[in-house]
Amino acid sequence: MEISKKLFFIGSGNMAQAIIRGLLESKLVKAQNIICNDVIKEKVLNLQQKFGVSVAETKGEALIDADIIFLSVKPQNMLEVFGEIRNFVKKNTIIISIAAGITTKFIEENIRKDVAVIRAMPNTPALVRCGATALCKGRFVSKEQLQKAKSLFASIGKAEILDEDKFNIITALSGSGPAYIFYFCELLQESAFKLGLSKEMAKSFAVQTVYGSGKMLDITNESAEILKEKVKSPKGTTEVALKYFESQNLSNIVYNAMLLAMERSKELSK
């Protein structure tokens, strides 16, 4: 089932590319029904060559038949984009934004129409179709429109609908979360190397351990706490390592780091 007759991407960064790839591979949208526009022409020409999508010289030209407008631009460029598209946006159009910190209310006030605005927060694993996306709706979004957006993001991973006041927490969790996992994986590699393993082997085992652990969490549907207990045995190697983490207050470190990320997200919101 096609999700859109004409989907217009403003911006062509990594996340836009990930979504386009997901939509095409899941056959939710045909390549000829996707139009892209970017101030950097080389980027959209690269998308055209890679996916067979169309390129629009101007935003107004592409907005004529678009039923979904996808805003994939930097937050600081949003007001300029609103000025360019405001007069072309139709009432039945869905606007989906992934700009960090930009609220649905802010978009509605600047578009100046009773248009459906959906805010999305995907994360970087969307690039390998394993993303986690939070969605929230503006004042004028119908259930059908919200479900359509959820199906769109389900093509690049998992998507859940939340209240917008939870988005700062999601920013600290899944938005920034991949960097936490990458950092821990980096530390595992460095430690194994210091203990005598080659860099190549340390990387291979660390990456597979992180990958396999995530897959177990997903497939077994058991909690992280239960799976953790299944790994350790009394007075064994895992228990002594976990006790050291506890003695160093790792739980507080993680909580405080996420709290700082959440507060920073609030500061950046508008």
Side-chain angles (χ1 to χ4, degrees):
M1 179 189 71
E2 284 196 281
I3 201 170
S4 170
K5 293 179 181 177
K6 194 70 72 175
L7 197 156
F8 179 39
F9 279 83
I10 301 176
S12 55
N14 287 335
M15 199 57 68
Q17 291 193 43
I19 293 168
I20 290 171
R21 182 186 293 110
L23 289 172
L24 294 178
E25 290 181 359
S26 57
K27 302 187 188 312
L28 287 174
V29 182
K30 293 177 181 177
Q32 60 263 37
N33 291 339
I34 297 176
I35 309 172
C36 301
N37 172 270
D38 199 298
V39 291
I40 303 174
K41 288 186 178 180
E42 291 78 6
K43 284 188 174 182
V44 285
L45 291 175
N46 180 55
L47 282 180
Q48 186 178 46
Q49 185 176 17
K50 187 182 291 186
F51 300 114
V53 299
S54 301
V55 172
E57 291 294 326
T58 64
K59 295 177 178 62
E61 168 197 344
L63 286 169
I64 295 172
D65 299 318
D67 53 1
I68 298 178
I69 302 170
F70 198 95
L71 301 179
S72 179
V73 297
K74 294 178 180 178
Q76 59 266 33
N77 297 332
M78 273 296 195
L79 286 176
E80 181 183 348
V81 170
F82 292 148
E84 292 177 307
I85 71 173
R86 186 179 295 123
N87 295 330
F88 300 97
V89 176
K90 298 176 182 177
K91 271 197 171 185
N92 60 348
T93 303
I94 303 171
I95 295 178
I96 300 176
S97 168
I98 63 166
I102 302 296
T103 64
T104 56
K105 182 181 179 182
F106 183 80
I107 297 172
E108 290 165 351
E109 289 175 346
N110 280 280
I111 292 296
R112 301 173 192 167
K113 292 178 182 176
D114 297 349
V115 66
V117 176
I118 295 171
R119 182 180 173 189
M121 182 173 293
N123 60 5
T124 55
L127 294 169
V128 290
R129 296 187 69 187
C130 290
T133 303
L135 299 166
C136 70
K137 66 185 184 71
R139 289 185 296 161
F140 310 109
V141 178
S142 68
K143 288 183 179 179
E144 182 184 358
Q145 289 171 324
L146 189 58
Q147 189 57 46
K148 186 177 285 191
K150 186 176 180 181
S151 297
L152 187 157
F153 284 97
S155 72
I156 54 167
K158 294 185 177 181
E160 298 291 346
I161 297 165
L162 298 174
D163 292 332
E164 193 161 11
D165 62 5
K166 299 295 188 291
F167 262 52
N168 292 317
I169 303 172
I170 291 296
T171 299
L173 176 57
S174 60
S176 299
Y180 312 155
I181 305 301
F182 299 149
Y183 182 46
F184 192 72
C185 187
E186 178 188 356
L187 295 179
L188 289 174
Q189 293 176 52
E190 288 180 355
S191 299
F193 175 68
K194 288 177 182 178
L195 292 169
L197 214 56
S198 70
K199 284 188 176 181
E200 294 76 13
M201 205 56 67
K203 178 183 177 181
S204 177
F205 274 84
V207 169
Q208 186 62 25
T209 298
V210 171
Y211 173 78
S213 300
K215 199 156 189 176
M216 281 188 71
L217 283 166
D218 184 38
I219 292 175
T220 65
N221 206 29
E222 291 189 296
S223 70
E225 183 180 8
I226 288 174
L227 289 175
K228 178 191 71 177
E229 292 301 315
K230 286 185 175 181
V231 176
K232 74 177 188 180
S233 55
K235 298 181 181 180
T237 58
T238 307
E239 185 179 71
V240 71
L242 290 174
K243 280 186 176 179
Y244 184 76
F245 284 149
E246 291 168 4
S247 72
Q248 299 302 304
N249 265 330
L250 181 61
S251 62
N252 283 345
I253 291 171
V254 172
Y255 174 79
N256 288 326
M258 288 184 62
L259 178 62
L260 287 170
M262 184 185 74
E263 293 300 327
R264 181 58 178 157
S265 178
K266 289 180 182 178
E267 291 172 7
L268 295 172
S269 295
K270 63 180 179 178

PDB file of all heavy atoms in Angstrom, residues 61-88:
ATOM      1  N   GLU A  61       7.375  24.979  -6.611  1.00  0.00           N
ATOM      2  CA  GLU A  61       7.109  24.062  -7.721  1.00  0.00           C
ATOM      3  C   GLU A  61       6.733  22.672  -7.210  1.00  0.00           C
ATOM      4  O   GLU A  61       5.793  22.039  -7.702  1.00  0.00           O
ATOM      5  CB  GLU A  61       8.363  23.978  -8.597  1.00  0.00           C
ATOM      6  CG  GLU A  61       8.368  22.869  -9.627  1.00  0.00           C
ATOM      7  CD  GLU A  61       9.771  22.573 -10.172  1.00  0.00           C
ATOM      8  OE1 GLU A  61      10.678  23.402  -9.992  1.00  0.00           O
ATOM      9  OE2 GLU A  61       9.929  21.503 -10.771  1.00  0.00           O
ATOM     10  N   ALA A  62       7.445  22.198  -6.197  1.00  0.00           N
ATOM     11  CA  ALA A  62       7.238  20.842  -5.693  1.00  0.00           C
ATOM     12  C   ALA A  62       6.029  20.734  -4.785  1.00  0.00           C
ATOM     13  O   ALA A  62       5.447  19.663  -4.635  1.00  0.00           O
ATOM     14  CB  ALA A  62       8.484  20.380  -4.957  1.00  0.00           C
ATOM     15  N   LEU A  63       5.629  21.833  -4.173  1.00  0.00           N
ATOM     16  CA  LEU A  63       4.545  21.791  -3.197  1.00  0.00           C
ATOM     17  C   LEU A  63       3.153  21.734  -3.824  1.00  0.00           C
ATOM     18  O   LEU A  63       2.170  21.482  -3.135  1.00  0.00           O
ATOM     19  CB  LEU A  63       4.625  23.024  -2.280  1.00  0.00           C
ATOM     20  CG  LEU A  63       5.752  22.981  -1.243  1.00  0.00           C
ATOM     21  CD1 LEU A  63       5.903  24.332  -0.583  1.00  0.00           C
ATOM     22  CD2 LEU A  63       5.486  21.920  -0.196  1.00  0.00           C
ATOM     23  N   ILE A  64       3.081  21.945  -5.115  1.00  0.00           N
ATOM     24  CA  ILE A  64       1.779  22.012  -5.785  1.00  0.00           C
ATOM     25  C   ILE A  64       0.953  20.744  -5.552  1.00  0.00           C
ATOM     26  O   ILE A  64      -0.226  20.808  -5.207  1.00  0.00           O
ATOM     27  CB  ILE A  64       1.970  22.253  -7.297  1.00  0.00           C
ATOM     28  CG1 ILE A  64       2.590  23.633  -7.522  1.00  0.00           C
ATOM     29  CG2 ILE A  64       0.633  22.132  -8.029  1.00  0.00           C
ATOM     30  CD1 ILE A  64       2.996  23.900  -8.959  1.00  0.00           C
ATOM     31  N   ASP A  65       1.561  19.577  -5.698  1.00  0.00           N
ATOM     32  CA  ASP A  65       0.821  18.318  -5.561  1.00  0.00           C
ATOM     33  C   ASP A  65       1.219  17.504  -4.326  1.00  0.00           C
ATOM     34  O   ASP A  65       0.729  16.386  -4.145  1.00  0.00           O
ATOM     35  CB  ASP A  65       1.041  17.448  -6.804  1.00  0.00           C
ATOM     36  CG  ASP A  65       0.541  18.119  -8.072  1.00  0.00           C
ATOM     37  OD1 ASP A  65      -0.549  18.716  -8.019  1.00  0.00           O
ATOM     38  OD2 ASP A  65       1.236  18.053  -9.097  1.00  0.00           O
ATOM     39  N   ALA A  66       2.096  18.028  -3.493  1.00  0.00           N
ATOM     40  CA  ALA A  66       2.601  17.249  -2.352  1.00  0.00           C
ATOM     41  C   ALA A  66       1.538  17.061  -1.274  1.00  0.00           C
ATOM     42  O   ALA A  66       0.876  18.014  -0.873  1.00  0.00           O
ATOM     43  CB  ALA A  66       3.824  17.942  -1.756  1.00  0.00           C
ATOM     44  N   ASP A  67       1.341  15.818  -0.848  1.00  0.00           N
ATOM     45  CA  ASP A  67       0.418  15.572   0.262  1.00  0.00           C
ATOM     46  C   ASP A  67       1.168  15.382   1.583  1.00  0.00           C
ATOM     47  O   ASP A  67       0.573  15.431   2.660  1.00  0.00           O
ATOM     48  CB  ASP A  67      -0.505  14.383  -0.018  1.00  0.00           C
ATOM     49  CG  ASP A  67       0.238  13.121  -0.400  1.00  0.00           C
ATOM     50  OD1 ASP A  67       1.482  13.132  -0.431  1.00  0.00           O
ATOM     51  OD2 ASP A  67      -0.427  12.109  -0.673  1.00  0.00           O
ATOM     52  N   ILE A  68       2.483  15.145   1.502  1.00  0.00           N
ATOM     53  CA  ILE A  68       3.326  15.092   2.693  1.00  0.00           C
ATOM     54  C   ILE A  68       4.573  15.946   2.442  1.00  0.00           C
ATOM     55  O   ILE A  68       5.255  15.766   1.431  1.00  0.00           O
ATOM     56  CB  ILE A  68       3.755  13.657   3.051  1.00  0.00           C
ATOM     57  CG1 ILE A  68       2.541  12.785   3.374  1.00  0.00           C
ATOM     58  CG2 ILE A  68       4.722  13.666   4.243  1.00  0.00           C
ATOM     59  CD1 ILE A  68       2.883  11.334   3.682  1.00  0.00           C
ATOM     60  N   ILE A  69       4.846  16.869   3.349  1.00  0.00           N
ATOM     61  CA  ILE A  69       6.063  17.672   3.286  1.00  0.00           C
ATOM     62  C   ILE A  69       6.960  17.243   4.440  1.00  0.00           C
ATOM     63  O   ILE A  69       6.544  17.249   5.598  1.00  0.00           O
ATOM     64  CB  ILE A  69       5.763  19.177   3.420  1.00  0.00           C
ATOM     65  CG1 ILE A  69       4.807  19.628   2.329  1.00  0.00           C
ATOM     66  CG2 ILE A  69       7.061  19.991   3.375  1.00  0.00           C
ATOM     67  CD1 ILE A  69       4.281  21.039   2.546  1.00  0.00           C
ATOM     68  N   PHE A  70       8.169  16.847   4.103  1.00  0.00           N
ATOM     69  CA  PHE A  70       9.102  16.348   5.108  1.00  0.00           C
ATOM     70  C   PHE A  70      10.193  17.394   5.344  1.00  0.00           C
ATOM     71  O   PHE A  70      10.978  17.690   4.449  1.00  0.00           O
ATOM     72  CB  PHE A  70       9.719  15.030   4.626  1.00  0.00           C
ATOM     73  CG  PHE A  70      10.332  14.231   5.727  1.00  0.00           C
ATOM     74  CD1 PHE A  70       9.629  13.231   6.366  1.00  0.00           C
ATOM     75  CD2 PHE A  70      11.637  14.488   6.142  1.00  0.00           C
ATOM     76  CE1 PHE A  70      10.191  12.498   7.387  1.00  0.00           C
ATOM     77  CE2 PHE A  70      12.216  13.764   7.167  1.00  0.00           C
ATOM     78  CZ  PHE A  70      11.485  12.767   7.792  1.00  0.00           C
ATOM     79  N   LEU A  71      10.216  17.974   6.545  1.00  0.00           N
ATOM     80  CA  LEU A  71      11.204  18.999   6.881  1.00  0.00           C
ATOM     81  C   LEU A  71      12.424  18.350   7.515  1.00  0.00           C
ATOM     82  O   LEU A  71      12.389  17.913   8.662  1.00  0.00           O
ATOM     83  CB  LEU A  71      10.597  20.033   7.835  1.00  0.00           C
ATOM     84  CG  LEU A  71       9.369  20.786   7.330  1.00  0.00           C
ATOM     85  CD1 LEU A  71       8.870  21.745   8.395  1.00  0.00           C
ATOM     86  CD2 LEU A  71       9.671  21.527   6.045  1.00  0.00           C
ATOM     87  N   SER A  72      13.504  18.286   6.743  1.00  0.00           N
ATOM     88  CA  SER A  72      14.744  17.672   7.212  1.00  0.00           C
ATOM     89  C   SER A  72      15.878  18.692   7.119  1.00  0.00           C
ATOM     90  O   SER A  72      16.890  18.477   6.466  1.00  0.00           O
ATOM     91  CB  SER A  72      15.069  16.434   6.366  1.00  0.00           C
ATOM     92  OG  SER A  72      16.270  15.834   6.777  1.00  0.00           O
ATOM     93  N   VAL A  73      15.648  19.835   7.775  1.00  0.00           N
ATOM     94  CA  VAL A  73      16.625  20.921   7.749  1.00  0.00           C
ATOM     95  C   VAL A  73      17.058  21.259   9.172  1.00  0.00           C
ATOM     96  O   VAL A  73      16.409  20.872  10.144  1.00  0.00           O
ATOM     97  CB  VAL A  73      16.041  22.183   7.071  1.00  0.00           C
ATOM     98  CG1 VAL A  73      15.700  21.889   5.621  1.00  0.00           C
ATOM     99  CG2 VAL A  73      14.816  22.694   7.812  1.00  0.00           C
ATOM    100  N   LYS A  74      18.146  21.989   9.284  1.00  0.00           N
ATOM    101  CA  LYS A  74      18.645  22.382  10.610  1.00  0.00           C
ATOM    102  C   LYS A  74      17.671  23.356  11.267  1.00  0.00           C
ATOM    103  O   LYS A  74      17.051  24.180  10.585  1.00  0.00           O
ATOM    104  CB  LYS A  74      20.020  23.023  10.465  1.00  0.00           C
ATOM    105  CG  LYS A  74      21.098  22.059   9.988  1.00  0.00           C
ATOM    106  CD  LYS A  74      22.429  22.754   9.825  1.00  0.00           C
ATOM    107  CE  LYS A  74      23.499  21.772   9.341  1.00  0.00           C
ATOM    108  NZ  LYS A  74      24.817  22.423   9.127  1.00  0.00           N
ATOM    109  N   PRO A  75      17.519  23.254  12.596  1.00  0.00           N
ATOM    110  CA  PRO A  75      16.564  24.124  13.305  1.00  0.00           C
ATOM    111  C   PRO A  75      16.756  25.601  13.000  1.00  0.00           C
ATOM    112  O   PRO A  75      15.781  26.347  12.860  1.00  0.00           O
ATOM    113  CB  PRO A  75      16.848  23.812  14.779  1.00  0.00           C
ATOM    114  CG  PRO A  75      17.386  22.425  14.776  1.00  0.00           C
ATOM    115  CD  PRO A  75      18.186  22.308  13.514  1.00  0.00           C
ATOM    116  N   GLN A  76      18.012  26.040  12.861  1.00  0.00           N
ATOM    117  CA  GLN A  76      18.268  27.462  12.628  1.00  0.00           C
ATOM    118  C   GLN A  76      17.827  27.928  11.243  1.00  0.00           C
ATOM    119  O   GLN A  76      17.742  29.125  10.986  1.00  0.00           O
ATOM    120  CB  GLN A  76      19.756  27.787  12.836  1.00  0.00           C
ATOM    121  CG  GLN A  76      20.719  27.041  11.950  1.00  0.00           C
ATOM    122  CD  GLN A  76      21.263  25.782  12.595  1.00  0.00           C
ATOM    123  OE1 GLN A  76      20.560  25.129  13.367  1.00  0.00           O
ATOM    124  NE2 GLN A  76      22.514  25.445  12.298  1.00  0.00           N
ATOM    125  N   ASN A  77      17.533  26.978  10.355  1.00  0.00           N
ATOM    126  CA  ASN A  77      17.092  27.329   9.004  1.00  0.00           C
ATOM    127  C   ASN A  77      15.575  27.252   8.823  1.00  0.00           C
ATOM    128  O   ASN A  77      15.055  27.523   7.740  1.00  0.00           O
ATOM    129  CB  ASN A  77      17.758  26.411   7.969  1.00  0.00           C
ATOM    130  CG  ASN A  77      19.264  26.577   7.947  1.00  0.00           C
ATOM    131  OD1 ASN A  77      19.789  27.634   8.270  1.00  0.00           O
ATOM    132  ND2 ASN A  77      19.969  25.525   7.569  1.00  0.00           N
ATOM    133  N   MET A  78      14.878  26.884   9.887  1.00  0.00           N
ATOM    134  CA  MET A  78      13.437  26.653   9.784  1.00  0.00           C
ATOM    135  C   MET A  78      12.645  27.901   9.395  1.00  0.00           C
ATOM    136  O   MET A  78      11.767  27.834   8.533  1.00  0.00           O
ATOM    137  CB  MET A  78      12.889  26.100  11.100  1.00  0.00           C
ATOM    138  CG  MET A  78      12.972  24.599  11.220  1.00  0.00           C
ATOM    139  SD  MET A  78      11.928  23.789   9.978  1.00  0.00           S
ATOM    140  CE  MET A  78      11.857  22.150  10.640  1.00  0.00           C
ATOM    141  N   LEU A  79      12.928  29.029  10.010  1.00  0.00           N
ATOM    142  CA  LEU A  79      12.148  30.231   9.722  1.00  0.00           C
ATOM    143  C   LEU A  79      12.265  30.626   8.251  1.00  0.00           C
ATOM    144  O   LEU A  79      11.284  31.051   7.628  1.00  0.00           O
ATOM    145  CB  LEU A  79      12.611  31.383  10.630  1.00  0.00           C
ATOM    146  CG  LEU A  79      12.178  31.288  12.096  1.00  0.00           C
ATOM    147  CD1 LEU A  79      12.788  32.427  12.906  1.00  0.00           C
ATOM    148  CD2 LEU A  79      10.663  31.297  12.225  1.00  0.00           C
ATOM    149  N   GLU A  80      13.456  30.463   7.696  1.00  0.00           N
ATOM    150  CA  GLU A  80      13.651  30.755   6.270  1.00  0.00           C
ATOM    151  C   GLU A  80      12.809  29.825   5.404  1.00  0.00           C
ATOM    152  O   GLU A  80      12.173  30.259   4.436  1.00  0.00           O
ATOM    153  CB  GLU A  80      15.132  30.611   5.915  1.00  0.00           C
ATOM    154  CG  GLU A  80      15.446  30.921   4.462  1.00  0.00           C
ATOM    155  CD  GLU A  80      16.899  30.697   4.104  1.00  0.00           C
ATOM    156  OE1 GLU A  80      17.725  30.510   5.034  1.00  0.00           O
ATOM    157  OE2 GLU A  80      17.218  30.699   2.902  1.00  0.00           O
ATOM    158  N   VAL A  81      12.776  28.545   5.767  1.00  0.00           N
ATOM    159  CA  VAL A  81      11.981  27.566   5.023  1.00  0.00           C
ATOM    160  C   VAL A  81      10.492  27.886   5.134  1.00  0.00           C
ATOM    161  O   VAL A  81       9.756  27.829   4.135  1.00  0.00           O
ATOM    162  CB  VAL A  81      12.262  26.135   5.527  1.00  0.00           C
ATOM    163  CG1 VAL A  81      11.263  25.140   4.933  1.00  0.00           C
ATOM    164  CG2 VAL A  81      13.679  25.719   5.169  1.00  0.00           C
ATOM    165  N   PHE A  82      10.038  28.254   6.319  1.00  0.00           N
ATOM    166  CA  PHE A  82       8.620  28.606   6.494  1.00  0.00           C
ATOM    167  C   PHE A  82       8.233  29.748   5.554  1.00  0.00           C
ATOM    168  O   PHE A  82       7.155  29.735   4.954  1.00  0.00           O
ATOM    169  CB  PHE A  82       8.342  29.023   7.938  1.00  0.00           C
ATOM    170  CG  PHE A  82       8.457  27.909   8.941  1.00  0.00           C
ATOM    171  CD1 PHE A  82       8.884  28.164  10.233  1.00  0.00           C
ATOM    172  CD2 PHE A  82       8.153  26.608   8.588  1.00  0.00           C
ATOM    173  CE1 PHE A  82       8.995  27.142  11.164  1.00  0.00           C
ATOM    174  CE2 PHE A  82       8.262  25.570   9.510  1.00  0.00           C
ATOM    175  CZ  PHE A  82       8.691  25.848  10.794  1.00  0.00           C
ATOM    176  N   GLY A  83       9.114  30.739   5.436  1.00  0.00           N
ATOM    177  CA  GLY A  83       8.845  31.864   4.553  1.00  0.00           C
ATOM    178  C   GLY A  83       8.716  31.444   3.097  1.00  0.00           C
ATOM    179  O   GLY A  83       7.926  32.018   2.341  1.00  0.00           O
ATOM    180  N   GLU A  84       9.460  30.405   2.721  1.00  0.00           N
ATOM    181  CA  GLU A  84       9.446  29.936   1.330  1.00  0.00           C
ATOM    182  C   GLU A  84       8.238  29.071   1.012  1.00  0.00           C
ATOM    183  O   GLU A  84       7.766  29.046  -0.139  1.00  0.00           O
ATOM    184  CB  GLU A  84      10.727  29.146   1.037  1.00  0.00           C
ATOM    185  CG  GLU A  84      11.987  29.990   1.041  1.00  0.00           C
ATOM    186  CD  GLU A  84      13.227  29.150   0.813  1.00  0.00           C
ATOM    187  OE1 GLU A  84      13.417  28.150   1.545  1.00  0.00           O
ATOM    188  OE2 GLU A  84      13.989  29.476  -0.097  1.00  0.00           O
ATOM    189  N   ILE A  85       7.722  28.343   1.989  1.00  0.00           N
ATOM    190  CA  ILE A  85       6.659  27.371   1.699  1.00  0.00           C
ATOM    191  C   ILE A  85       5.274  27.801   2.178  1.00  0.00           C
ATOM    192  O   ILE A  85       4.267  27.229   1.758  1.00  0.00           O
ATOM    193  CB  ILE A  85       6.983  25.984   2.300  1.00  0.00           C
ATOM    194  CG1 ILE A  85       6.872  25.992   3.836  1.00  0.00           C
ATOM    195  CG2 ILE A  85       8.354  25.512   1.843  1.00  0.00           C
ATOM    196  CD1 ILE A  85       7.020  24.624   4.476  1.00  0.00           C
ATOM    197  N   ARG A  86       5.208  28.796   3.039  1.00  0.00           N
ATOM    198  CA  ARG A  86       3.949  29.174   3.703  1.00  0.00           C
ATOM    199  C   ARG A  86       2.785  29.352   2.732  1.00  0.00           C
ATOM    200  O   ARG A  86       1.681  28.857   2.968  1.00  0.00           O
ATOM    201  CB  ARG A  86       4.184  30.464   4.495  1.00  0.00           C
ATOM    202  CG  ARG A  86       3.001  30.907   5.345  1.00  0.00           C
ATOM    203  CD  ARG A  86       3.340  32.176   6.094  1.00  0.00           C
ATOM    204  NE  ARG A  86       4.406  31.952   7.061  1.00  0.00           N
ATOM    205  CZ  ARG A  86       5.563  32.632   7.090  1.00  0.00           C
ATOM    206  NH1 ARG A  86       5.811  33.557   6.180  1.00  0.00           N
ATOM    207  NH2 ARG A  86       6.462  32.370   8.006  1.00  0.00           N
ATOM    208  N   ASN A  87       3.017  30.035   1.644  1.00  0.00           N
ATOM    209  CA  ASN A  87       1.932  30.347   0.705  1.00  0.00           C
ATOM    210  C   ASN A  87       1.527  29.178  -0.186  1.00  0.00           C
ATOM    211  O   ASN A  87       0.531  29.255  -0.910  1.00  0.00           O
ATOM    212  CB  ASN A  87       2.338  31.532  -0.174  1.00  0.00           C
ATOM    213  CG  ASN A  87       2.504  32.817   0.618  1.00  0.00           C
ATOM    214  OD1 ASN A  87       1.842  33.018   1.634  1.00  0.00           O
ATOM    215  ND2 ASN A  87       3.411  33.682   0.178  1.00  0.00           N
ATOM    216  N   PHE A  88       2.300  28.094  -0.135  1.00  0.00           N
ATOM    217  CA  PHE A  88       2.021  26.948  -1.014  1.00  0.00           C
ATOM    218  C   PHE A  88       1.433  25.750  -0.272  1.00  0.00           C
ATOM    219  O   PHE A  88       0.970  24.801  -0.904  1.00  0.00           O
ATOM    220  CB  PHE A  88       3.311  26.512  -1.724  1.00  0.00           C
ATOM    221  CG  PHE A  88       3.923  27.583  -2.574  1.00  0.00           C
ATOM    222  CD1 PHE A  88       4.955  28.368  -2.087  1.00  0.00           C
ATOM    223  CD2 PHE A  88       3.467  27.820  -3.870  1.00  0.00           C
ATOM    224  CE1 PHE A  88       5.529  29.365  -2.866  1.00  0.00           C
ATOM    225  CE2 PHE A  88       4.028  28.813  -4.661  1.00  0.00           C
ATOM    226  CZ  PHE A  88       5.064  29.590  -4.158  1.00  0.00           C
TER     227      PHE A  88
END
